[in-house]
Amino acid sequence: MDDVRFAFVKCHGSGNDFPLIDARAIDLAEADWAAVARALADRRGPVGGDGLLLLGQGTDDHDFSMAMYNADGSQAETCLNGLRCVARMGFEALGLDMARVRLKTSDAIVERDADLAAGVYTVRETAGPAGLDVRVWPLHAGVERIVETPVPPLVSERRFIAVAMPNPHLVTFVEAVDEAELVAIGEACEAAPRWLPNRANVSFVEVRGRDLFVRTFERGVGLTDSCGSAMAASSFAACLTGRLAYDTPITVFNKGGLVRASVTRDAMVSLSGNATWEWRGSIDVDIAAERAGDLVVEAHADAEIAAWAGIADLASR
């Protein structure tokens, strides 16, 4: 296949950054999109990111769809930080302020929300219900649920809550995040052992009063400043275990920023957070070689970048 030129937006949700392509009129196979993701998300290349987002066509029941490819080319069931960015592009393309979005294995409701701060484009997303049956991951541990117990095949005494959002998450509550320990556990899961063939995201979570701080080793990415579905899974886990209350606002902090969360008793999780444009451009991708080049940056969103910086400064205090 010859080089393909893509127009895209470089965007982020709570510091989780991506190139985002309107793919509604682009006919590529999943294997080709995986190659594009590896080329564009490569931090050593001209763009870089935690993965690749695609705005796709809708269906009879959905206004549009989203696909998310991790930096290693694997496709995720969802990405809630990325979903907000895709929602924004879909809203702008179709003139909507609310939509039902088809994800890989589920769907979600998105709507324009009041800005977190002046100039911070904000989307509210509702996903779920969160799932507790680990047999569907599959996680082969001889049990149906893992709630506040060690994961039998994992060499760790940490007590985890295993949650599907719908992508798989192992959440543990800690007094203080030990990144070296988090990376060690994350890498053990990333190796796709026989007991966890589809891998999992791993989060260490601090409870800070009525708020949370979440640090995540993301499947297909590694240690990341932010993971939206991990923040959703962590919020659900905190309510499930009685650390925080259902139907009560929660601020979830991460190294990339913050989101507002709420969890219902029927396991639905809502996140309200930013969908920030950083810059627009176009680039050639040699799909066979998985190489990107000839980047043209067409416009920077300086005002949006500055507006988000105020939120990020608040989150770091």
Side-chain angles (χ1 to χ4, degrees), residues 62 64-67 75-80 83 101-108 127 165-166:
H62 301 88
F64 48 86
S65 64
M66 175 185 109
Q75 192 173 359
E77 291 89 343
T78 189
C79 170
L80 295 182
L83 173 59
V101 186
R102 180 173 60 85
L103 309 176
K104 183 182 179 184
T105 60
S106 62
D107 59 17
M165 205 63 235

Side-chain angles (χ1 to χ4, degrees), residues 171-174 177 203-215 230-245 248-255 257-263 269 271 315:
V171 176
T172 186
F173 292 92
V174 299
V177 172
S203 292
F204 281 14
V205 183
E206 299 173 15
V207 179
R208 299 178 175 180
R210 291 179 294 178
D211 301 328
L212 299 176
F213 174 80
V214 179
R215 195 80 169 105
M231 291 187 287
S234 298
S235 299
F236 170 75
C239 294
L240 177 72
T241 59
R243 290 176 168 87
L244 296 177
T248 301
I250 303 166
T251 301
V252 187
F253 295 92
N254 55 69
K255 292 197 76 171
L258 60 84
V259 298
R260 309 292 190 195
S262 63
V263 183
V269 183
L271 298 183

Side-chain angles (χ1 to χ4, degrees), residues 9 17 19 24 43 72 77 94 106 131 136 159 162 176 184 202 208 217 229 235 242 285 289 312:
V9 175
D17 68 319
R24 290 175 298 161
R43 295 288 185 187
D72 67 354
E77 291 89 343
L94 299 173
S106 62
V136 303
R159 295 178 177 273
V202 181
R208 299 178 175 180
F217 189 100
S229 59
S235 299
V285 177

Side-chain angles (χ1 to χ4, degrees), residues 166-209:
N167 51 345
H169 292 268
L170 292 172
V171 176
T172 186
F173 292 92
V174 299
E175 291 297 320
V177 172
D178 181 331
E179 289 192 358
E181 182 187 5
L182 172 59
V183 168
I185 295 173
E187 288 179 342
C189 295
E190 187 72 1
R194 184 173 299 176
W195 59 271
L196 190 64
N198 294 326
R199 306 174 295 171
N201 304 281
V202 181
S203 292
F204 281 14
V205 183
E206 299 173 15
V207 179
R208 299 178 175 180

Side-chain angles (χ1 to χ4, degrees), residues 4 6 19 30-31 52 73 79 96 98 115 117 129 140 158 181 188 201 203 214 217 241 249 260 273 284 314:
V4 178
F6 296 99
E30 287 188 5
L52 171 67
C79 170
L96 303 174
M98 178 181 289
D115 290 349
H140 302 296
R158 292 282 184 192
E181 182 187 5
N201 304 281
S203 292
V214 179
F217 189 100
T241 59
R260 309 292 190 195
D284 286 334
L314 174 66

Side-chain angles (χ1 to χ4, degrees), residues 238-301:
C239 294
L240 177 72
T241 59
R243 290 176 168 87
L244 296 177
Y246 289 105
D247 301 309
T248 301
I250 303 166
T251 301
V252 187
F253 295 92
N254 55 69
K255 292 197 76 171
L258 60 84
V259 298
R260 309 292 190 195
S262 63
V263 183
T264 65
R265 292 185 180 276
D266 57 356
M268 300 299 291
V269 183
S270 293
L271 298 183
S272 186
N274 72 304
T276 298
W277 286 179
E278 294 184 304
W279 47 275
R280 294 177 180 268
S282 61
I283 196 165
D284 286 334
V285 177
D286 182 332
I287 292 177
E290 300 184 0
R291 183 173 58 247
D294 191 21
L295 171 66
V296 176
V297 177
E298 297 164 1
H300 283 91

Side-chain angles (χ1 to χ4, degrees), residues 23-42:
R24 290 175 298 161
I26 302 175
D27 185 18
L28 286 180
E30 287 188 5
D32 291 332
W33 280 122
V36 173
R38 287 189 287 268
L40 294 185
D42 187 345

